[in-house]
């Protein structure tokens, strides 16, 4: 597979058809997606104002890939530091992974951010680099206020499960604690969606603003 930087360069290449540049952005997201693939793509459509009709603003693709690149640089730097730390710990005989586990190694299905894979509209509103900085700070021991993911300091939102009630962040559906049964349950999306609708940006207008008529009805 070609590298992130190769596909980033293709997004920038104005000589390429817009569909190919858009496809290159997709590949970049498959290689680095802080919110999960679908939620990260949805986030970038909003933050970079990618219109439904790409020809209306080709530079939106560049804005999107540069936001992704900025966050990836921060992530790469932290992973290198973590790798060096783990090598030193192993040499000292400490082979068990410490707590908290690095945010990029969390299980996508058992982590507190599982909702973003099931409801890609519930991701944090933060710029991706801000999210990465926040997660890196928590990994380094910082005690940040509010939701660990988005910083929202409002009350948690109760959500029903088959075993009782689970409290989620109102801002991003982060689940700070498990259900009383000890399991994490599926989150029913607030807005019914199909992946093709997100990929084709049915939620966006041609002016790069959210489509006020989506979803239909």
């Amino acid at each position: 597979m070609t590298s992130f930087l190769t596909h980033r360069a293709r997004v920038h290449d104005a000589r390429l058809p817009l569909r190919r540049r858009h496809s290159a952005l997709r590949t970049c997201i498959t290689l680095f997606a802080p919110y999960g693939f679908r939620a990260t793509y949805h986030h970038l459509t909003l933050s970079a104002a990618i219109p439904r009709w790409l020809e209306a603003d080709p530079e939106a693709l560049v804005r999107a890939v540069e936001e992704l690149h900025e966050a990836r640089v921060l992530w790469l730097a932290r992973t290198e530091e973590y790798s060096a730390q783990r090598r030193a710990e192993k040499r000292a005989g400490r082979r068990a992974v410490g707590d908290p586990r690095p945010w990029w190694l969390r299980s996508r299905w058992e982590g507190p951010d599982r909702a973003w894979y099931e409801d890609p509209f519930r991701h944090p509103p933060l710029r991706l680099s801000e999210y990465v900085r926040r997660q890196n700070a928590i990994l380094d021991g910082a005690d940040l206020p509010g939701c660990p993911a988005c910083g929202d300091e409002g009350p948690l939102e109760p959500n029903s499960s088959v075993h009782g009630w689970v409290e989620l962040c109102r801002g991003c559906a982060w689940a700070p604690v498990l259900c009383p049964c000890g399991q994490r349950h599926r989150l029913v999306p607030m807005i019914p969606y199909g992946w093709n609708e997100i990929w084709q940006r049915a939620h966006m207008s041609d002016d790069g603003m959210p489509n006020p008529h989506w979803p239909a009805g």
Side-chain angles (χ1 to χ4, degrees):
M1 178 182 290
T2 50
S3 71
F4 179 97
L5 295 180
T6 297
H7 286 282
R8 174 187 173 223
R10 290 174 180 167
V11 176
H12 278 264
D13 192 346
R15 297 169 300 177
L16 295 176
L18 280 173
R19 295 301 180 272
R20 285 191 61 188
R21 295 170 66 187
H22 183 237
S23 180
L25 173 63
R26 173 188 176 124
T27 301
C28 287
I29 300 172
T30 64
L31 297 172
F32 179 66
Y35 297 156
F37 179 79
R38 295 184 180 187
T40 298
Y41 178 77
H42 177 261
H43 164 80
L44 290 173
T45 63
L46 298 176
S47 65
I50 303 177
R52 185 168 190 177
W53 187 55
L54 292 176
E55 287 78 359
D57 186 6
E59 286 303 303
L61 298 177
V62 174
R63 293 193 296 270
V65 81
E66 285 308 296
E67 178 179 345
L68 193 65
H69 173 64
E70 178 186 13
R72 182 174 177 269
V73 168
L74 296 172
W75 167 71
L76 287 174
R78 189 62 185 86
T79 58
E80 290 175 4
E81 292 175 4
Y82 180 75
S83 295
Q85 173 190 330
R86 288 294 296 138
R87 287 193 294 269
E89 290 174 348
K90 289 178 181 178
R91 285 194 297 268
R94 300 192 300 273
R95 306 194 67 85
V97 178
D99 191 34
R101 190 176 182 85
W103 58 272
W104 60 87
L105 296 180
R106 282 196 298 256
S107 166
R108 62 177 295 181
W109 297 116
E110 298 302 325
D113 55 358
R114 174 172 176 168
W116 308 341
Y117 298 93
E118 298 167 337
D119 187 349
F121 306 103
R122 296 293 300 274
H123 56 76
L126 302 178
R127 187 174 176 85
L128 295 178
S129 58
E130 294 176 14
Y131 172 77
V132 170
R133 286 192 182 94
R134 185 174 183 85
Q135 295 308 299
N136 287 346
I138 292 174
L139 180 60
D140 291 335
D143 184 15
L144 301 181
C147 169
C150 71
D152 187 284
E153 298 186 48
L156 296 178
E157 176 183 79
N159 279 259
S160 177
S161 75
V162 294
H163 300 282
W165 293 89
V166 180
E167 293 189 320
L168 304 178
C169 170
R170 291 179 183 271
C172 69
W174 176 275
V177 296
L178 295 171
C179 174
C181 75
Q183 302 294 321
R184 296 191 187 277
H185 302 285
R186 292 185 61 85
L187 178 73
V188 178
M190 296 177 64
I191 302 175
Y193 73 93
W195 165 238
N196 284 340
E197 292 178 303
I198 299 177
W199 177 242
Q200 295 169 2
R201 300 169 306 287
H203 57 284
M204 302 297 289
S205 300
D206 288 343
D207 59 0
M209 298 297 291
N211 180 359
H213 305 296
W214 188 88

